[in-house]
């Protein structure tokens, strides 16, 4: 397959393909972090994760329209405002959902699956009724479009770099919050022993609510970023949900590091196979390998040793 | 969902304006309407117990207005309602006003079958305008054949089907594909092609036809053929492969949310479609899809289908104007929307030619029916239940519209079972 190409061409293609793998990795990390917080730390199976992402995407759409109508001079920078607003919008919805639905179901974790699945259907129809059934086009500032030529042959998409930087910064934020902040310590304490954590004076109810809200907020930021590379419509969230769960479960619930490692291995495997095989075949093989590994290691790549 | 035709008017649609016009038309047409209805007594025009009264006839609309497919099917519903309203304003069919029962297929194929049965058995509708995906059509087909219903199906599709109970108002695959490939070979000198599609029956069958045509008739070469799962959102790998193989043409049949991801990433990867190196030719992106993709991401691509909103003819000008008046100024009209608009008109013409609402008589009268009022221009029903139509190539503009750069000189004959292409 490669005999017709010169070494420099092959080198360039492999460099770009490697970069494509890194972009996919960043996308997976962004998708999965919010879910990893919620599923990993609280054990809630949030099937509406994709819909929280799409809320972020719609917020981006409105912010972009607002800027192009009222503040055209600041349009190139609107994306940062949009991401912050997306975090708060999805986070606020998350707090509301936790208060109204999830908190009644902590003792029945499997039921959260049904409840949040129902919630995802409700949210989809809500988006459809309010924003219309058709997809909306989000205008991306010019500086974020196009590619950056590195050499004559190698070109790197700018939005890919943006997604990578975003993934790294959000991962760092989550890490700091989880392992360096008071909230993170409380979350981990509750995760290890809820009753004891309550007994030593941690407000478990409020911590749960905040955790859920932050997880949803991170999903909103991811959704906002994905307007650069994907579609924004009432059901677009469904496109991400399978991959998201795959990454989180494969990484081992409860471990942020596991999530990142699993995102890395799945994305690299998939992007290498996509290059040598067809797209559908690559997906099938990736899923088969993941299923195989999970059969041998049901707890995922990394797992926390907990006293249950 | 809603059993009544008077469901909530969608955004941008002024009920007052509609009532005013229909009142005006009603007054003007009151007398001739009754005369016409009297000369076609109900007992004679309806011998099979359909929902026909002395002054109304009921038809069904069966599309998804909830679920994934609502994105695509909304336009079809709007077009069908516009056509029915216009027909009613002209006095209806055989002097009878059309009443609509709309059912929601909810993007779920068994639901389509169940709702089709409800429309045919309980409501006894005279015909149904509906379905969008091939999967939903396949699901309702046995119901329509069992209960002898009559379906007008608007989507361009893969062919390989011809039911006595369906009229296919969109193009079948060979009509859409062959003319486009001939055009790109002739005007762009294309020899190498990269075929790309979403992984289900329509793109696969279409690419099969395209490959045959490229290899056997054009003497060209297919340098890659690939399918990605529906909803796939990461296309960087395939874009790298396309760079490596350097085809003259990317032939893309990507659908749904994947579409948006594919074109955005193509642009981000530095492939400038306006430079036509390679040329991008698609059969799956109508003006409706460009709304989601963004005109600036689609600029320079070519699409091959039978209708574009920018078609310059008086029929289309009137159609676009009426559509925007009814559904709002910002709306766009794609190929399938126009094909859906033909359904009620073709049915009306067939009923009037037959002088009856009976499905068997309508079916017989339908063959050879001509419409010279169609927005796409003149169309005619072939005896294989598909339409003769012209095929056109459009160049995507940054404003989300296509500029028509080519149209076939003659109508293209529908050929749902193409020999030598299977």
């Amino acid at each position: 397959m490669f005999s017709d190409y010169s070494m420099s061409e092959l080198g360039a293609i492999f460099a770009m393909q490697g970069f494509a793998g890194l972009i996919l990795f960043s996308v997976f990390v962004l998708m999965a972090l919010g879910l990893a917080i919620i599923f990993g730390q609280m054990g809630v199976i949030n099937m509406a994760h994709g819909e929280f992402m799409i809320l972020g995407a719609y917020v981006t759409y409105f912010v972009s329209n607002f800027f192009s109508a009222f503040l055209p001079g600041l349009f190139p920078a609107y994306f940062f405002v949009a991401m912050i607003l997306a975090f708060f919008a999805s986070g606020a919805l998350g707090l509301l959902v936790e208060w109204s639905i999830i908190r009644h179901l902590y003792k029945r974790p499997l039921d959260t699956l049904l409840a949040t699945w129902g919630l995802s259907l409700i949210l989809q129809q809500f988006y459809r009724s309010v924003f219309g059934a058709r997809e909306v086009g989000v205008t991306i500032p010019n500086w974020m479009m196009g590619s950056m030529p590195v050499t004559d042959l190698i070109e790197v998409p700018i939005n890919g770099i943006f997604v990578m930087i975003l993934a790294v910064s959000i991962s760092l934020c989550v890490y700091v919050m989880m392992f360096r902040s008071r909230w993170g310590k409380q979350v981990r304490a509750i995760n290890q022993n809820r009753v004891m954590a309550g007994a030593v004076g941690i407000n478990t109810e409020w911590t749960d609510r905040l955790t859920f809200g932050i997880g949803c907020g991170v999903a909103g930021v991811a959704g906002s970023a994905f307007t650069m590379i994907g579609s924004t419509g009432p059901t677009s969230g469904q496109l991400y949900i399978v991959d998201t769960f795959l990454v989180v479960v494969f990484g081992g619930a409860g471990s942020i590091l596991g999530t990142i490692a699993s995102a890395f291995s799945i994305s690299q495997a998939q992007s290498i196979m996509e290059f040598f095989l067809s797209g559908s075949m690559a997906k099938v093989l990736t899923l088969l390998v993941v299923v195989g590994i999970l059969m041998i290691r049901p707890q995922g790549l990394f797992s926390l040793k907990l006293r249950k | 969902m809603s059993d009544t035709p008077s469901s909530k008017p969608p955004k941008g649609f002024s009920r007052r304006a509609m009532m005013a016009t229909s009142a005006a038309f009603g007054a003007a047409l009151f007398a001739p309407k009754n005369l016409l209805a009297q000369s076609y007594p109900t007992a004679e025009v309806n011998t099979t117990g359909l929902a026909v009264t002395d002054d109304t006839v009921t038809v069904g609309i069966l599309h998804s207005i909830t679920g994934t497919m609502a994105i695509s099917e909304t336009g079809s519903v709007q077009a069908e309602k516009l056509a029915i309203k216009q027909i009613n304003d002209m006095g209806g069919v055989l002097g009878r006003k059309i009443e609509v029962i709309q059912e929601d297929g909810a993007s779920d194929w068994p639901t389509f079958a169940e709702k089709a049965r409800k429309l045919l058995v309980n409501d006894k509708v005279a015909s149904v305008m509906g379905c969008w995906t091939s999967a939903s059509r396949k699901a309702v087909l046995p119901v329509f054949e069992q209960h002898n219903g009559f379906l007008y199906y608007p989507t361009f599709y893969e062919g390989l089907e011809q039911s006595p109970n369906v009229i296919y108002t969109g193009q079948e695959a060979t009509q859409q594909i062959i003319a486009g490939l001939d055009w790109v070979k002739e005007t762009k000198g294309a020899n190498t092609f990269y075929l790309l599609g979403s992984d289900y029956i329509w793109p696969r069958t279409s690419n099969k036809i395209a490959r045959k045509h490229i290899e056997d008739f054009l003497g060209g070469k297919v340098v890659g053929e690939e399918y990605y799962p529906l909803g796939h959102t990461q296309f960087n790998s395939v874009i790298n492969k396309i760079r490596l193989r350097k085809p003259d043409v990317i032939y893309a049949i990507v659908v749904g949310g994947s579409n948006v991801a594919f074109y955005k990433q193509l642009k981000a990867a530095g492939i400038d479609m306006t430079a036509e190196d390679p040329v991008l030719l698609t059969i799956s992106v109508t003006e409706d899809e460009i709304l989601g993709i963004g005109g600036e991401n689609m600029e320079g691509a070519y699409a091959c289908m039978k209708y574009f909103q920018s078609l310059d003819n008086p029929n289309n000008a009137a159609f676009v104007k009426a559509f925007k008046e009814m559904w709002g100024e910002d709306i766009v009209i794609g190929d399938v929307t126009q094909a859906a608009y033909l359904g009620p008109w073709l049915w009306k013409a067939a009923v009037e030619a037959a002088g009856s609402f009976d499905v068997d008589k309508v079916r017989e009268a339908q063959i050879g029916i001509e419409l010279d009022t169609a927005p796409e221009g003149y169309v005619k029903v072939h005896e294989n239940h598909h339409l003769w139509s012209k095929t056109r190539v459009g160049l995507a503009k940054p404003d989300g519209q296509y500029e028509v750069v080519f149209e076939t000189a003659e109508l293209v004959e529908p050929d749902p079972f193409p020999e030598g292409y299977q």
Side-chain angles (χ1 to χ4, degrees), chain B residues 171 175-185 187-188 251 276 279-283 285 287 300-311 335 390-397 401-409:
Chain B
Q171 289 185 305
Q175 282 179 300
Q176 202 185 358
I177 292 165
I178 290 173
L181 290 174
D182 288 345
W183 170 83
V184 78
K185 162 92 183 167
T187 57
K188 308 285 174 192
Y251 195 69
E276 302 198 349
V279 174
L280 192 133
L281 184 62
T282 176
I283 58 171
V285 179
E287 290 87 338
Y302 291 95
C304 184
M305 38 197 66
K306 67 171 179 171
Y307 172 84
F308 295 106
Q309 187 182 333
S310 62
L311 274 189
D335 182 279
K390 288 190 172 179
T391 299
R392 298 171 169 99
V393 176
L395 168 64
K397 295 280 162 198
Q401 288 291 318
Y402 284 103
E403 176 194 323
V404 181
V405 292
F406 167 77
E407 74 173 31
T408 52

Side-chain angles (χ1 to χ4, degrees), chain A residues 44-268:
Chain A
V44 171
I45 303 169
N46 183 14
M47 295 294 285
H49 185 73
E51 279 61 45
F52 283 102
M53 287 169 66
I54 291 310
L55 180 65
Y58 274 116
V59 168
T60 312
Y61 170 69
F62 286 113
V63 173
S64 96
N65 283 355
F66 178 83
F67 270 67
S68 67
F70 299 107
L71 298 164
L74 294 176
F75 190 74
Y78 89 84
F79 217 81
F80 300 99
V81 181
M83 284 194 300
I84 294 166
L85 287 180
F87 178 83
F88 285 108
S90 297
L93 183 65
L95 293 181
L96 182 71
V97 166
E98 201 277 346
W99 173 78
S100 57
I101 303 174
I102 307 291
R103 68 181 170 128
H104 306 293
L105 299 172
Y106 283 128
K107 298 225 169 65
R108 300 177 284 162
L110 269 185
D111 292 358
T112 58
L113 185 148
L114 271 184
T116 51
W117 184 59
L119 176 71
S120 92
L121 295 180
I122 292 170
L123 284 176
Q124 283 173 30
Q125 191 57 38
F126 175 77
Y127 297 152
R128 196 173 289 118
S129 311
V130 176
F131 306 129
R134 288 187 167 95
E135 288 173 349
V136 296
V138 181
T139 317
I140 305 299
N142 275 330
W143 66 270
M144 289 165 83
M145 292 303 295
S147 61
M148 213 165 57
V150 180
T151 69
D152 285 350
L153 291 168
I154 303 180
E155 288 187 66
V156 174
I158 292 170
N159 61 22
I161 299 176
F162 188 85
V163 168
M164 280 166 70
I165 296 173
L166 189 67
V168 171
S169 4
I170 292 191
S171 307
L172 281 178
C173 287
V174 170
Y175 176 83
V176 168
M177 284 198 302
M178 214 42 133
F179 295 99
R180 293 286 177 271
S181 79
R182 196 179 166 77
W183 166 77
K185 215 176 268 174
Q186 292 177 345
V187 169
R188 286 180 292 138
I190 294 173
N191 194 16
Q192 290 184 359
N193 194 325
R194 178 174 291 271
V195 181
M196 272 310 287
V200 297
I202 294 173
N203 185 344
T204 58
E205 238 178 66
W206 176 242
T207 310
D208 282 337
R209 194 159 307 151
L210 201 61
T211 310
F212 196 83
I214 288 177
C216 293
V218 172
V221 177
S224 170
F226 289 170
T227 55
M228 288 186 299
I229 50 171
S231 62
T232 307
T235 46
S236 299
Q238 297 293 307
L239 303 179
Y240 302 110
I241 191 79
V242 174
D243 280 337
T244 311
F245 268 101
L246 190 71
V247 167
V248 172
V249 172
F250 186 58
S255 164
I256 304 280
L257 189 68
T259 301
I260 291 174
S262 122
F264 186 77
S265 40
I266 293 180
S267 64
Q268 291 306 318

Side-chain angles (χ1 to χ4, degrees), chain A residues 18-64:
Chain A
F19 198 78
L22 286 181
I23 296 174
L24 190 62
F25 164 56
S26 316
V27 168
F28 278 177
V29 168
L30 276 182
M31 286 194 307
L33 268 180
L35 195 75
I37 297 172
I38 292 171
F39 184 46
Q41 307 304 322
M42 307 168 66
V44 171
I45 303 169
N46 183 14
M47 295 294 285
H49 185 73
E51 279 61 45
F52 283 102
M53 287 169 66
I54 291 310
L55 180 65
Y58 274 116
V59 168
T60 312
Y61 170 69
F62 286 113
V63 173
S64 96

Side-chain angles (χ1 to χ4, degrees), chain B residues 9-337:
Chain B
K11 198 174 64 178
F13 169 63
S14 151
R15 173 174 286 183
R16 186 182 299 166
M18 190 204 76
M19 279 172 24
T21 36
S22 52
F25 271 105
L29 293 167
F30 186 70
K33 183 198 99 181
N34 268 2
L35 276 180
L36 189 58
Q38 277 162 18
S39 53
Y40 290 101
T42 307
E44 280 175 32
V45 297
N46 175 26
T47 61
T48 54
L50 297 170
V52 178
T53 68
D54 288 344
D55 38 31
T56 64
V57 51
T58 307
V59 304
I61 289 182
L62 176 57
H63 284 289
S64 303
I65 49 171
T66 59
T68 340
M69 291 310 301
I71 292 174
S72 307
E73 300 195 41
T74 308
S76 301
V77 176
Q78 292 172 335
E80 285 153 6
K81 287 191 171 165
L82 171 65
I84 288 168
K85 172 178 168 282
Q86 289 177 330
I87 291 170
N88 281 343
D89 288 348
M90 287 171 59
V93 181
L94 296 184
R96 289 161 176 85
K97 295 272 181 202
I98 303 175
E99 291 194 339
V100 176
I101 296 184
Q102 187 181 348
E103 289 293 340
D104 179 15
S107 310
D108 178 57
W109 321 141
T111 306
F112 265 96
E114 180 196 321
K115 297 293 187 182
R117 182 166 287 118
K118 185 235 171 209
L119 284 172
L120 294 178
V121 178
N122 298 3
D123 302 325
K124 307 216 176 305
V125 295
S127 71
V128 177
M129 319 293 148
C131 297
W132 210 93
T133 61
S134 285
S136 66
R137 188 190 68 251
K138 292 282 185 202
V140 302
L141 204 57
V143 180
F144 274 86
E145 292 184 347
Q146 182 192 350
H147 299 286
N148 199 22
F150 211 52
L151 172 71
Y152 289 82
Y153 174 71
T155 322
F156 42 72
Y157 82 114
E158 66 278 355
L160 307 176
E161 189 182 297
Q162 178 186 329
S163 165
N165 298 81
V166 183
I167 297 292
Y168 307 83
T169 63
Q171 289 185 305
E172 52 79 29
T174 62
Q175 282 179 300
Q176 202 185 358
I177 292 165
I178 290 173
L181 290 174
D182 288 345
W183 170 83
V184 78
K185 162 92 183 167
E186 229 160 78
T187 57
K188 308 285 174 192
N191 280 315
T192 51
F193 294 77
Y194 201 105
L195 310 181
L196 179 67
S198 293
D199 203 353
Y200 71 104
I201 182 168
W202 178 57
R204 278 188 179 266
T205 315
S206 301
N207 274 340
K208 199 169 160 188
I209 293 171
R211 181 186 269 273
K212 280 267 182 203
H213 191 68
I214 291 165
E215 289 174 347
D216 298 353
F217 296 90
L218 299 180
K221 196 172 163 220
V222 176
V223 295
E225 179 174 349
E226 270 208 69
Y227 300 94
Y228 280 82
L230 277 169
H232 192 76
T233 51
Q234 290 299 318
F235 288 93
N236 284 316
S237 298
V238 74
I239 291 169
N240 282 338
K241 278 200 242 184
I242 290 172
R243 273 181 204 281
L244 189 66
R245 307 267 170 84
K246 298 197 179 66
D248 297 332
V249 176
I250 306 173
Y251 195 69
I253 318 183
V254 182
V255 306
S258 294
N259 243 332
V260 182
F262 176 62
Y263 291 103
K264 279 187 177 171
Q265 288 165 26
L266 204 60
K267 176 155 187 189
I271 294 185
D272 181 10
M273 293 192 286
T274 52
E276 302 198 349
D277 177 33
V279 174
L280 192 133
L281 184 62
T282 176
I283 58 171
S284 62
V285 179
T286 72
E287 290 87 338
D288 257 325
E289 275 80 25
I290 297 187
L291 273 188
I293 296 170
E296 72 279 7
N297 298 319
M298 194 66 197
E299 186 186 1
Y302 291 95
C304 184
M305 38 197 66
K306 67 171 179 171
Y307 172 84
F308 295 106
Q309 187 182 333
S310 62
L311 274 189
D312 188 16
N313 71 52
N315 291 347
N316 189 42
F319 168 60
V320 172
K321 183 165 173 280
F323 202 92
K324 290 194 165 183
E325 264 170 23
M326 187 157 174
W327 302 109
E329 200 45 45
D330 297 334
I331 208 132
V332 297
I333 304 164
D335 182 279
V336 185
T337 305

